[in-house]
Amino acid sequence: MTLSQRDVNIIVAGSLLAMFLAALDQTVVATALTTIAADLGGLTLVSWVVTAYLVTSTCATLIAGKLSDMHGRRPALLAAIAVFLFGSVLSALAGSMTMLIIARAVQGIGGGAVITIVQASVADVVAPRERGRYSGYYAVVFATSAVCGPIVGAQVTHYAGWPWIFWVNLPLGLAAIAIIDRALRRAPLKRIDAKVDYTAVAQFTVGAVALLLFVSTGGVRLPWTSAPVLVAAAVAAVFGVLFFRRQRRVAEPILPPRFLADAVVAPIYFAMFCVFGCYLAVVVTVPIFFQIALGVPIAELGMLMIPMTLVTSIAAGFAGRYTRVKGRYKPPPLTSLPLAIGALSLLATFAHQATPLTAAALLTLVGIGVGPCFPCSMVAVQNAVMRRDIGAVTGGIVFFRALGGAVITAGASSLLLGLIAVWLPSTESGGGLQDLLRRPLTGTERSLVIDAFAAVFFGIAAGLAAGWLLFARAAERPLRTRDDIVRETEVAS
């Protein structure tokens, strides 16, 4: 059955709505944590309200993509949204911090699955030559959720109470289900006749959770040499090895080894690990830099960060249109990333002389430089595989992005805190970046802290340069059109 453009638009609209909900819930609780802790108690556990969601959503991405290949997009996506909404209800009804953390973990499973499956669903009905434009829409959704999440969370908490942060998901989620269910019934999707490898699922889940706990707690909540952190690292290593060994032996691997041998998929997976991780590290470290180095009040931080977020989505949109017109996906990131590398290097070089406006301007250039990487990377990997592997390859790139975000952000934070501890022992603390703001600094102390930020910015710029080199190594293959896909489908059947 051939879908009309109206059918495609309906699928895209429902998918974007579902993705917005999943992305929004990554940040919406941030401004409500203090209120939640006061209501439920358990102040020492409050950070896990965010961490639980991020850990389970990251783990779900890879598995969800493969399951949607095996069982079809529609049932997989409806199940993912249902799990997300179930987790939302549990979160709203939570009567203790422990219950809320468990509910957020459930919600994260659904949210991570949604983010992967919606992109695979659109890839099923849109030819690779056209996908860049739609990938730009994804970037807009993520940028909007990043900006709106803390604002929505603060306003809803203030006027209605924090449980309504989760209750509002229900009408929007049910609307997404209604739209997607009707539209995807018409989509001509095939399923893979295979069984779920539950052993591989268990190995991947244990290994990924351990790795994420290792990078999110080491050097922040606990010392790197503490027993829990070392145990998490050991578990991650052992189960990671077991998982990848099993992937080479089973008939339907979750992460097919051929992906990591492909001249397009492998370089771009690792490129997005670097690029997205560095971008997220900027988002995490720069607000602290603004407050310490430039004396920016916390109320003004959002206004200074918004331009970078907005131009990231705008640049992604332009890059998506380029891939549609030119049929190429490498030129936009190869042209734009040097701009981000140069801007971060300038910010590091002139950190002592920077003003809030000049720093915001340089960050805007970072957004312009990074934005094109998102649609071009997704188009490239989806174009590199057969239709039966769309879900798996999509889950792979979403996972590598999320993993890069966790690892590189943790690395940047640890580097910053480590340099400050060495250069300025009087500020040493085990509580993370926010502890830098808890005591006034002398002029000399502030200067040393700014030097530490400059070193971190140079390190992030180096990470972006590594991403650029990986993009350069990726092969450039012609983007398939709708006619090409029709011919492939006829040959396969």
Side-chain angles (χ1 to χ4, degrees):
M1 180 186 297
T2 301
L3 294 178
S4 67
Q5 186 59 45
R6 180 176 179 275
D7 293 327
V8 172
N9 291 341
I10 291 174
I11 292 174
V12 171
S15 299
L16 291 176
L17 177 57
M19 178 180 282
F20 177 76
L21 284 175
L24 187 71
D25 270 67
Q26 294 178 350
T27 59
V28 72
V29 301
T31 51
L33 290 178
T34 303
T35 304
I36 292 172
D39 191 11
L40 299 181
L43 182 62
T44 57
L45 298 175
V46 71
S47 62
W48 286 99
V49 175
V50 175
T51 302
Y53 186 96
L54 295 178
V55 168
T56 56
S57 64
T58 300
C59 294
T61 55
L62 198 59
I63 299 170
K66 187 63 179 181
L67 289 177
S68 73
D69 284 335
M70 296 170 62
H71 300 290
R73 307 287 183 241
R74 177 175 161 272
L77 185 51
L78 294 178
I81 298 175
V83 171
F84 175 80
L85 294 181
F86 178 63
S88 298
V89 172
L90 291 180
S91 298
L93 296 175
S96 68
M97 189 64 74
T98 301
M99 183 60 198
L100 180 59
I101 292 170
I102 294 172
R104 286 283 288 171
V106 173
Q107 194 183 32
I109 294 172
V114 165
I115 289 174
T116 296
I117 301 171
V118 295
Q119 296 182 78
S121 299
V122 174
D124 281 328
V125 298
V126 178
R129 185 76 178 251
E130 306 291 326
R131 283 178 202 156
R133 177 176 60 177
Y134 297 96
S135 295
Y137 297 160
Y138 303 146
V140 172
V141 167
F142 276 108
T144 303
S145 65
V147 173
C148 293
I151 298 173
V152 171
Q155 295 301 313
V156 172
T157 300
H158 179 72
Y159 290 105
W162 65 263
W164 282 96
I165 292 175
F166 305 108
W167 285 125
V168 296
N169 289 334
L170 265 64
L172 296 177
L174 292 174
I177 287 177
I179 294 171
I180 291 170
D181 179 59
R182 182 177 179 182
L184 287 183
R185 286 180 185 274
R186 295 176 54 81
L189 305 181
K190 292 186 177 181
R191 304 179 183 183
I192 298 174
D193 185 16
K195 295 181 179 180
V196 178
D197 184 1
Y198 291 105
T199 300
V201 169
Q203 291 171 342
F204 171 77
T205 302
V206 173
V209 168
L211 177 59
L212 292 168
L213 291 177
F214 168 69
V215 300
S216 64
T217 58
V220 180
R221 298 186 180 94
L222 296 171
W224 286 109
T225 55
S226 65
V229 172
L230 293 178
V231 168
V235 171
V238 170
F239 279 88
V241 170
L242 292 175
F243 172 74
F244 281 106
R245 288 182 61 183
R246 187 171 183 84
Q247 296 305 284
R248 293 197 297 266
R249 300 197 305 267
V250 297
E252 286 296 336
I254 297 172
L255 182 63
R258 63 181 180 276
F259 287 179
L260 300 182
D262 188 90
V264 173
V265 178
I268 288 182
Y269 271 3
F270 291 107
M272 289 311 298
F273 176 94
C274 295
V275 171
F276 185 77
C278 290
Y279 182 74
L280 196 59
V282 169
V283 172
V284 170
T285 58
V286 162
I288 310 297
F289 172 76
F290 271 134
Q291 293 177 71
I292 293 178
L294 307 181
V296 176
I298 192 170
E300 298 177 11
L301 282 177
M303 295 301 296
L304 292 171
M305 296 294 293
I306 284 175
M308 180 181 73
T309 307
L310 291 180
V311 299
T312 299
S313 60
I314 293 171
F318 278 112
R321 291 183 181 276
Y322 176 92
T323 63
R324 179 188 180 193
V325 174
K326 300 295 184 179
R328 302 180 64 194
Y329 47 78
K330 285 182 64 175
L334 292 181
T335 303
S336 66
L337 271 177
L339 187 63
I341 296 167
L344 272 177
S345 299
L346 284 174
L347 182 59
T349 302
F350 299 103
H352 287 275
Q353 293 79 34
T355 67
L357 288 181
T358 58
L362 289 172
L363 290 175
T364 301
L365 296 180
V366 172
I368 295 173
V370 170
C373 299
F374 300 127
C376 293
S377 61
M378 185 63 72
V379 168
V381 298
Q382 289 180 341
N383 182 70
V385 301
M386 300 298 292
R387 288 172 63 85
R388 72 190 302 274
D389 287 328
I390 287 290
V393 81
T394 302
I397 195 169
V398 175
F399 173 74
F400 271 84
R401 281 173 47 177
L403 188 62
V407 172
I408 295 179
T409 299
S413 301
S414 296
L415 175 61
L416 179 61
L417 293 171
L419 290 174
I420 292 173
V422 172
W423 295 346
L424 201 60
S426 61
T427 64
E428 185 174 3
S429 173
L433 294 182
Q434 292 294 333
D435 278 356
L436 297 176
L437 304 171
R438 294 183 180 178
R439 62 182 287 269
L441 301 176
T442 66
T444 301
E445 289 174 335
R446 180 173 287 103
S447 178
L448 290 172
V449 170
I450 292 173
D451 287 339
F453 274 104
V456 169
F457 293 153
F458 274 126
I460 295 174
L464 289 176
W468 185 90
L469 290 173
L470 287 163
F471 263 111
R473 289 192 59 186
E476 179 91 62
R477 295 176 185 166
L479 292 179
R480 289 171 291 167
T481 64
R482 185 173 299 181
D483 292 339
D484 295 327
I485 291 178
V486 170
R487 284 194 294 270
E488 288 178 7
T489 303
E490 290 175 349
V491 170
S493 48

